[in-house]
Amino acid sequence: MIVTRRWLEEFINLEGISDQQLHDTFNSIGLEVDGMQRFQMPSKVVVGRVLSCEKHPDADKLNLCRVDVGEAEPLQIVCGAANVREAEYVAVAIVGAVLPGDFAIKPAKLRGVESFGMICSSSELGLPETGAGIMILDESLGEMIPGKPLAEYPDFNDTVIELELTANRGDCLSIRGVARDLSAALDRELHRVESASVETMSRGIARIVELHTHGRIEADLLYIFVEKERLILPFLMRLRLAMVDALNENLFDAHLAYSTHATGVILRAYDAGQLKDEAGKIPLEIGQKMPGFVEVTSGGRRLSLVGISSNLEYAATDDSDEILLEASYIDPELLVPAVAETGEKTDALYYRSSRGSEPEISLGTEYLKNRCHVAGECRFSKTPLSLESDREDRILSVDIPKLNAVIGQEIPKGTIHTILKRLGFVIHHAGAERFGVTIPRWRHDIRNIQDVAEEILRIVGINQIQARPLDLTEQNRLTESTRRFRIRRDLRQRAVAEGFFEAVTYAFADRKLLETYGFPVLEESKDLLNPIVEEFSTLRSTLSLNLLEAARRNVSYGKKRIPLFEIGSVFDTERLEHERMAFLWSGEAEEASVSNQGKPPRIDFARFVRKLGGVIGAFRLERCSETHGLIHPYQSATVWIGDRPAGWLSKLHPKAAEAFGLEETFIAELEFDALIPPHIEAEPVSNFQGTFKDLSLLVNRELPYRTMEEALEKLEEPLLRRFFPIDRYEDEQLGDQKSMTLRFFLQSGEGTLSDEAIEGVMQRILTTLQEACGARLR
């Protein structure tokens, strides 16, 4: 990207900033200076006014000119440039001037005619080539005063700077974009492009252009109709375009190039006369074949692919009296993949649009209108036809401590806000340590807080960040996912230690089988569209049926002992996922061995409960609340862990056992979250001996043990460490009562228990059970 200091000053005040400071600032903010050239006009080169121009008497290709250079008498100068006849104001090197290359100007005779000076071209003065022949000056440089040194016109003493931009900095492919970065670095206001009062047409553009869109259009477009009677290219524009290597001899194209280089907006122009139909209307059709591929056509003829190319057959020329002006923007993240996929040919403007052109496209048209108004006679449609794509602003939440941690130094909050605002970011919801920021559309590369930190860092300056030793802090990787993984691993290991084998089954299930045994199923609209097999048409809501299917296959293989478990996901009727652990034990309780004389016992309720306890730890059983078709009416229970129900266990219902071809079978299904152990605070271990005491009580036959347990839990006896039942006995002689024997473990942390203390605790226990449960000693 090539910029000039004087052009930058249209958008930002650089007063008091030297060229060296500008050079250093660009490098510090990441716009690396690839080259810098200062143009300095030689002395004794002045403005000359051509008073007359005649052919040389002895040379057809030479002209004899009388030129006013502010002296008493005009100078006679012989000039060989053909365009001197069209000139009024020219650059004249008078006698005594020394031009680049140590070329000294002296009085001379050319074909016998004396010449006292030299009318100069741009290259002869060390400037870039501005066109064939001599320079023709005009008042775009300022008031033309014959004899005034050109060194006093600031635009002749300009500095051209070539910047090396990275691919993501398309926002700096314009003078205004570079000035925007400078405004943040120098903390100076960015000047806006003002709307000039230009001559407008009597007809509205809607009477000339018929715009139709088809489907969703992911591009911004703006159209203006222009009636052109006369247009010139002022010398200042010609000089600047030459300095940035963008000069075009087609006048309107040169104006487009000038405005695009200044604002970054993609501008194209079409000859409206070629596009009008028989009714004098210009039909425009805009459609999108794929993301990033927006086509503009007129009467079936392609005019442009937005951001990619235009049809040169319909491009405006200097002979065009009526022009349709198009300004456009398309997101480069859509554009570039589309071009790569289609292989579409691109033009010179694609370089800008593929890296991110200026999205505020009205800036480009206003800038162009201002220039055309000054440089000719053009009328513009009062209001444009515009098309805006649906888009959502990208918003980031910025945590200031985290931002400073990324930078490596504390940057004041006010400085952060000022820099981001200068760069076009919008600050909102600002708090003490956090604020929201809307990313400007021209910075499509900003994605996260690290990108925001880079913006702050480059504007503050890497040299302003204090050097510190590298601090490597290992991030805590013990996340909730890690914790659940470890618990799942421990449960698997304990299940294997208890003799279970792990089963891994599909998350899919047979809808009919689920409905047969009363398990919930998904709505049919949420079933699988393309199941592996027809039977696996939905998602499972239980693990138990999968384990039963696995057990049935094991029976067909001749297995007599089938202990299985699985940890996996199940899904509710809304397809919400949660995790469970299921157990199944069918047939023999242990392997045949010498100890059981080759006749292992069958699995029963008590053995299955002990196996389950070996895996999941302590739990209690209460009356079963499950009602599905696998539950046995007499041998089933709800499993409680702590103060919450965790699932169920049951002997397999006889009808289900017959359907699956299984003998004695027990199953349990538990919520995985309930198996996650709570945080347990450590308590000191007593160094003193404890003692066990038994109580045999008579209670009502229908009284559940849980009632006795709740009563003892409320006792809050500090010496009572734990208790549990060891015997239950019923007999006709006891009538409507039953015998319950409970064992209590008593221990003190302060000393050995005396007989009196033990008897006191046991008496309080007995009293509590008598009052709460109607118990009496047997």
Side-chain angles (χ1 to χ4, degrees), residues 54 57 243 297 416 446-447 480 529 631 680 718 743 760 764:
E54 300 175 355
M243 287 180 171
T297 61
I416 293 172
I446 303 294
R447 293 291 181 181
E480 179 62 22
L529 293 177
I631 297 294
I680 301 174
R743 178 163 292 173
R764 288 192 289 275

Side-chain angles (χ1 to χ4, degrees), residues 515-773:
E515 291 174 342
T516 298
Y517 289 99
F519 288 99
V521 294
L522 291 175
E523 298 178 13
E524 291 192 11
S525 61
K526 296 181 179 179
D527 275 349
L528 304 179
L529 293 177
N530 188 22
I532 298 174
V533 293
E534 187 177 351
E535 290 79 9
F536 287 165
S537 60
T538 191
L539 296 172
R540 65 187 179 188
S541 58
T542 178
L543 299 177
S544 299
L545 289 177
N546 292 37
L547 291 185
L548 288 170
E549 291 283 6
R552 173 159 53 188
R553 287 193 294 273
N554 276 271
V555 168
S556 67
Y557 299 151
K559 299 291 183 180
K560 296 182 178 180
R561 174 176 166 271
I562 309 168
L564 302 174
F565 81 94
E566 182 175 9
I567 300 175
S569 295
V570 297
F571 303 83
D572 64 15
T573 56
E574 298 298 322
R575 256 196 179 185
L576 297 178
E577 180 181 0
H578 53 105
E579 203 168 13
R580 288 183 184 169
M581 186 173 189
F583 299 86
L584 176 146
W585 198 300
S586 180
E588 297 172 350
E590 57 188 43
E591 294 282 3
S593 64
V594 174
S595 61
N596 55 39
Q597 290 84 44
K599 298 179 180 179
R602 313 293 291 176
I603 189 71
D604 56 26
F605 194 89
R607 285 190 175 91
F608 184 69
V609 168
R610 283 198 299 273
K611 293 287 186 182
L612 195 61
V615 179
I616 68 173
F619 63 91
R620 70 174 187 273
L621 301 178
E622 295 194 4
R623 185 181 298 276
C624 187
S625 58
E626 293 289 329
T627 58
H628 54 75
L630 302 183
I631 297 294
H632 195 285
Y634 306 115
Q635 297 189 54
S636 59
T638 296
V639 178
W640 283 68
I641 298 177
D643 60 353
R644 61 181 289 190
W648 54 271
L649 67 79
S650 174
K651 183 178 181 180
L652 185 60
H653 193 285
K655 289 185 178 179
E658 182 180 357
F660 284 96
L662 301 176
E663 298 182 355
E664 294 289 308
T665 301
F666 289 84
I667 51 178
E669 189 163 337
L670 310 173
E671 295 292 340
F672 183 80
D673 287 347
L675 304 180
I676 297 176
H679 175 72
I680 301 174
E681 294 186 6
E683 296 181 358
V685 177
S686 175
N687 293 324
F688 302 96
Q689 185 176 359
T691 185
F692 286 95
K693 285 296 214 179
D694 295 346
L695 273 181
S696 292
L697 304 167
L698 290 176
V699 296
N700 187 289
R701 179 177 294 183
E702 301 300 326
L703 181 76
Y705 169 71
R706 177 60 182 161
T707 304
M708 303 175 72
E709 187 178 41
E710 289 175 346
L712 293 173
E713 287 174 349
K714 294 178 181 178
L715 181 59
E716 296 183 355
E717 176 60 56
L719 298 181
L720 178 60
R721 296 303 176 93
R722 64 179 185 275
F723 60 91
F724 48 91
I726 58 173
D727 183 55
R728 175 179 179 275
Y729 175 72
E730 295 180 6
D731 191 276
E732 292 181 357
Q733 297 179 359
L734 298 178
D736 59 354
Q737 292 190 315
K738 62 182 176 183
S739 172
M740 289 288 294
T741 301
L742 278 66
R743 178 163 292 173
F744 302 89
F745 178 68
L746 310 180
Q747 188 180 37
S748 171
E750 299 177 355
T752 303
L753 292 174
S754 63
D755 291 341
E756 292 80 3
I758 294 172
E759 290 301 323
V761 172
M762 295 305 297
Q763 184 57 49
R764 288 192 289 275
I765 290 173
L766 178 59
T767 301
T768 297
L769 293 175
Q770 288 173 340
E771 295 174 353
C773 304

Side-chain angles (χ1 to χ4, degrees), residues 110-322:
L110 297 174
R111 294 290 183 95
V113 177
E114 291 183 335
S115 179
F116 299 94
M118 176 177 168
I119 301 176
C120 302
S121 67
S122 58
S123 58
E124 289 167 338
L125 295 176
L127 298 171
E129 183 64 61
T130 58
I134 61 167
M135 291 195 304
I136 300 178
L137 309 181
D138 56 42
E139 293 193 347
S140 62
L141 299 165
E143 185 181 0
M144 293 287 101
I145 303 173
K148 182 177 179 179
L150 291 192
E152 295 182 14
Y153 289 89
D155 290 294
F156 280 120
N157 303 304
D158 205 352
T159 303
V160 176
I161 307 166
E162 185 170 359
L163 303 174
E164 187 71 30
L165 301 180
T166 54
N168 66 314
R169 294 309 308 275
D171 60 300
C172 286
L173 285 173
S174 67
I175 302 293
R176 185 175 181 273
V178 173
R180 182 167 48 216
D181 263 26
L182 281 179
S183 75
L186 302 176
D187 195 19
R188 299 189 177 189
E189 289 292 334
L190 180 69
H191 302 162
R192 284 197 57 81
V193 175
E194 300 296 338
S195 297
S197 178
V198 300
E199 186 176 358
T200 58
M201 297 164 42
S202 58
R203 291 184 300 166
I205 190 172
R207 294 186 177 184
I208 304 171
V209 179
E210 294 180 345
L211 181 63
H212 300 280
T213 61
H214 302 283
R216 183 183 180 188
I217 307 298
E218 294 177 309
D220 294 354
L221 290 162
L222 185 150
Y223 290 95
I224 292 177
F225 194 81
V226 185
E227 292 179 342
K228 176 175 68 70
E229 292 187 8
R230 183 180 63 87
L231 188 65
I232 64 170
L233 186 63
F235 182 76
L236 176 59
M237 294 176 63
R238 182 178 292 274
L239 177 61
R240 287 181 175 174
L241 286 172
M243 287 180 171
V244 301
D245 197 23
L247 185 59
N248 193 311
E249 288 305 320
N250 184 312
L251 295 181
F252 205 81
D253 283 349
H255 276 269
L256 293 179
Y258 190 85
S259 297
T260 293
H261 200 83
T263 64
V265 176
I266 304 298
L267 298 170
R268 304 181 191 276
Y270 308 102
D271 187 334
Q274 296 188 66
L275 303 180
K276 287 185 176 181
D277 58 18
E278 294 179 356
K281 297 289 187 71
I282 299 176
L284 283 185
E285 303 281 341
I286 302 176
Q288 179 170 299
K289 296 181 178 179
M290 58 183 289
F293 200 86
V294 178
E295 185 178 40
V296 180
T297 61
S298 178
R301 301 162 296 183
R302 178 189 284 181
L303 294 186
S304 69
L305 292 174
V306 177
I308 301 175
S309 64
S310 64
N311 191 339
L312 296 180
E313 182 180 349
Y314 303 105
T317 66
D318 288 344
D319 296 328
S320 301
D321 297 326
E322 294 180 324

